[in-house]
Amino acid sequence: MVSLIMGLKGSGKTKKLVDMVREAVNDCPGDVVCIEKERKLTYDIPYQARLIDAGTYDIGSYEFLKGLICGIHAGNYDITHFFIDNFYKMVGDKSSEALCKFISWLDAFAAAENIDFVISISVDPDTVPEELKKYII
C-alpha cells in the first residue's frame, strides 16, 4: 500500500510521518525503514527504525531511488514499512507525470512485496493529478 502525506511547507507533514513511524515500530512485527534527505529525524524516530540519510547517496533520479528501495529490500525481506520524508528534495524531476509513473511502480512493488510505503511531499494536494488523490491520507 502507498500513502501520500501532501501539504505545503509547515503544514505538519513530517510530524505526521514521525507519528506513523512510531506507531509502526510499536505495532508491527516487521522492520521499519525511514529515508530522509538529511539527518533531521535522528532524535525524533525510535532507534528500532532504520534511518537512512539519502543525502549521502546523491539520489537525484527516480531510477536511482527505485534501485535504493529494491536494494534495501533485497538485503532485508522482513521490512514491512518504508517511510520517505521530503520526497521532492531527493529527486530532481518534480513533474506530475514523473511522480505518477513512480507512484504507479511503487504501488505495484508494495503489493507484490507486502510493504506499506508512506511518503511526504511538499506540494498543494489540490494541484496533483486525480490518479494520485486516492493515495492521499
Side-chain angles (χ1 to χ4, degrees):
M1 178 177 78
V2 175
S3 301
L4 302 176
I5 303 171
M6 293 185 160
L8 298 175
K9 184 175 174 127
S11 62
K13 296 178 303 299
T14 298
K15 183 183 180 329
K16 186 173 185 176
L17 183 128
V18 167
D19 290 343
M20 292 177 79
V21 170
R22 287 185 183 134
E23 184 179 325
V25 166
N26 290 332
D27 298 342
C28 299
D31 293 337
V32 177
V33 175
C34 184
I35 302 172
E36 65 170 335
K37 176 68 173 168
E38 301 153 350
R39 288 224 175 241
K40 291 183 178 180
L41 301 179
T42 301
Y43 301 106
D44 295 324
I45 65 168
Y47 71 89
Q48 296 94 337
R50 173 65 191 242
L51 182 61
I52 297 173
D53 178 7
T56 60
Y57 300 109
D58 193 27
I59 293 175
S61 73
Y62 288 97
E63 292 303 313
F64 191 115
L65 186 55
K66 287 179 186 179
L68 180 65
I69 291 168
C70 290
I72 293 168
H73 179 257
N76 182 355
Y77 289 112
D78 294 330
I79 295 171
T80 57
H81 292 79
F82 266 93
F83 294 89
I84 303 174
D85 192 32
N86 288 319
F87 184 78
Y88 272 156
K89 286 188 176 182
M90 290 183 223
V91 295
D93 187 352
K94 295 171 180 55
S95 69
S96 293
E97 180 181 315
L99 179 61
C100 288
K101 185 176 176 184
F102 176 77
I103 296 300
S104 176
W105 171 84
L106 193 61
D107 193 37
F109 181 79
E113 301 299 336
N114 198 26
I115 300 174
D116 289 337
F117 285 86
V118 178
I119 302 172
S120 75
I121 304 174
S122 290
V123 66
D124 184 353
D126 296 330
T127 64
V128 298
E130 284 299 317
E131 63 189 271
L132 291 181
K133 290 190 179 187
K134 66 182 177 182
Y135 298 107
I136 298 175
I137 55 172

